[in-house]
Amino acid sequence: MPPSDGSDLTDDEPDFIEALIVDLGPEAVGQRLDKALALAAPDLSRARIQALMAEGRVTYADEVMTDGSSRAREGLYLIAVPEPLPAEPQPEDIPLTVLFEDEHLIVIDKPAGMTVHPAPGHQTGTLVNALLFHCGDSLSGIGGVLRPGIVHRLDKDTSGVMVAAKSDAAHQGLSALFATHDLERQYIALTRGQPRPASGRVENRIGRSNSDRKKMAVLKTSGRLAITDYRTATTFGPQDRPLASRVVCRLHTGRTHQIRVHMASIGAPVLGDPIYGSGPPAPSVRQAIQTTGLDRQALHAAVLGFVHPITGATLRFETPLPADMSDLEQQLAEL
């Protein structure tokens, strides 16, 4: 899977077309769970069962079962089988805001609401579909059939600058930059309250939540290292107790939901975030959100800078806040 700029796997969660109920009898007790389920559900291979368990799609009495080697128990297991993907994404004439393009790569300003690549439940209308139409056969194939040219991602409902590869050489070079974090990534977040302290670094480990497999969480031992530098640029409301803030975040790693998890972990969740909001903002902030019609997390990938992997040119792209976030910021400024 390509590196993720806080990309939103939750937004890519599939619409289930089948909730398969498997009833394991006493004869299955003590067997490996993945083997027992595969025997009881012949339409699913053991490898498929293992993959579904790893994704948190197998439950027993509301307990998520992720370990295929655990021992089967008697009773009902629920297997959420996702909708199958089409064999290959198709080009779609979807407008793109192109910031830069040459024979090797393309840089775009992704709008909020656009999923980066096809996934169950989001099989059309993605950035990949748009790129296939815009770039034709020139997209790099290293990312695979479903992710041609994709070297990193943004959440579906996060707007901002993205780069995609048009040649395999560029894909390899860009992937190396993301792997070593040798590029500039700056995000603007509108947050509830103010981070404490106002500026600093969040450094911890992020992985799948043990209690909710659809969410990411800060973990003590497992997960992957995640580092975000942040700076409060502006506060809104009373100076002694700000109701909201504009926060500049710089990524040193690119974990799933990284900024959203990190801001929530320091008491300043991103406004409008349906997953990590952790409580409503002040009434006046809620009113501002309703007035502007913001229906997503207020997070924008404002800056992407890197050395062109083929030409060696230094490239830096910066985009302003989209209308919904800009309107919200104006409303907050009047608090």
Side-chain angles (χ1 to χ4, degrees), residues 12 41 47 59 62 100-101 109 228 273 276 286 305 316 321 334:
D12 292 338
T59 56
D62 294 328
F100 174 85
E101 183 176 11
D109 186 6
T228 304
D273 193 331
Y276 305 101
R286 291 204 304 270
R316 188 180 188 273
L321 293 181
E334 299 176 4

Side-chain angles (χ1 to χ4, degrees), residues 8-10 13-14 16 55 57 208-209 212-216 257 275-276:
D8 195 340
L9 294 178
T10 301
E13 286 294 328
F16 299 121
E55 295 170 3
R57 307 197 196 285
R208 288 283 177 184
S209 168
D212 186 345
R213 298 293 293 175
K214 293 183 179 181
K215 295 177 63 175
M216 308 303 289
H257 301 185
I275 306 298
Y276 305 101

Side-chain angles (χ1 to χ4, degrees), residues 10-257:
T10 301
D11 283 330
D12 292 338
E13 286 294 328
D15 296 324
F16 299 121
I17 60 169
E18 182 179 9
L20 182 63
I21 298 175
V22 178
D23 189 0
L24 294 185
E27 71 283 354
V29 173
Q31 295 183 18
R32 275 185 61 109
L33 181 56
D34 53 5
K35 180 179 180 181
L37 291 175
L39 290 173
D43 290 340
L44 298 175
S45 67
R46 187 169 172 181
R48 180 63 168 146
I49 292 287
Q50 292 170 342
L52 291 171
M53 293 183 74
E55 295 170 3
R57 307 197 196 285
V58 178
T59 56
Y60 174 84
D62 294 328
E63 178 185 354
V64 178
M65 310 301 295
T66 59
D67 184 3
S69 66
S70 63
R71 297 305 160 185
R73 289 173 276 178
E74 184 176 358
L76 299 179
Y77 288 79
L78 178 65
I79 304 177
V81 182
E83 182 180 358
L85 287 172
E88 188 172 339
Q90 299 301 309
E92 296 179 35
D93 187 3
I94 302 171
L96 288 174
T97 300
V98 178
L99 306 177
F100 174 85
E101 183 176 11
D102 64 10
E103 61 183 307
H104 302 290
L105 55 84
I106 181 171
V107 180
I108 60 99
D109 186 6
K110 185 189 85 68
M114 174 181 278
T115 302
V116 170
H117 57 72
H122 301 282
Q123 299 177 358
T124 61
T126 73
L127 177 60
V128 162
N129 296 111
L131 288 173
L132 286 170
F133 183 90
H134 181 88
C135 301
D137 296 331
S138 66
L139 282 181
S140 165
I142 293 178
V145 173
L146 295 178
R147 298 180 177 129
I150 301 301
V151 295
H152 71 126
R153 298 185 301 175
L154 295 177
D155 298 0
K156 174 188 173 185
D157 287 326
T158 295
S159 55
V161 188
M162 279 193 65
V163 61
K166 294 175 63 177
S167 68
D168 288 351
H171 197 131
Q172 292 171 335
L174 289 169
S175 294
L177 292 177
F178 277 96
T180 58
H181 316 299
D182 192 16
L183 29 68
E184 179 186 3
R185 288 176 289 175
Q186 180 174 298
Y187 290 66
I188 304 298
L190 300 178
T191 71
R192 189 189 76 194
Q194 180 183 359
R196 299 292 184 186
S199 299
R201 168 172 289 192
V202 184
E203 182 172 349
N204 49 36
R205 305 187 73 82
I206 289 179
R208 288 283 177 184
S209 168
N210 294 322
S211 60
D212 186 345
R213 298 293 293 175
K214 293 183 179 181
K215 295 177 63 175
M216 308 303 289
V218 173
L219 303 176
K220 291 184 178 180
T221 55
S222 58
R224 302 174 68 189
L225 179 66
I227 303 173
T228 304
D229 287 337
Y230 70 93
R231 173 179 57 84
T232 302
T234 310
T235 60
F236 307 102
Q239 289 299 307
D240 60 339
R241 192 173 182 180
L243 302 178
S245 300
R246 175 186 173 117
V247 180
V248 180
C249 299
R250 292 181 180 272
L251 287 180
H252 294 279
T253 56
R255 309 306 176 211
T256 300
H257 301 185

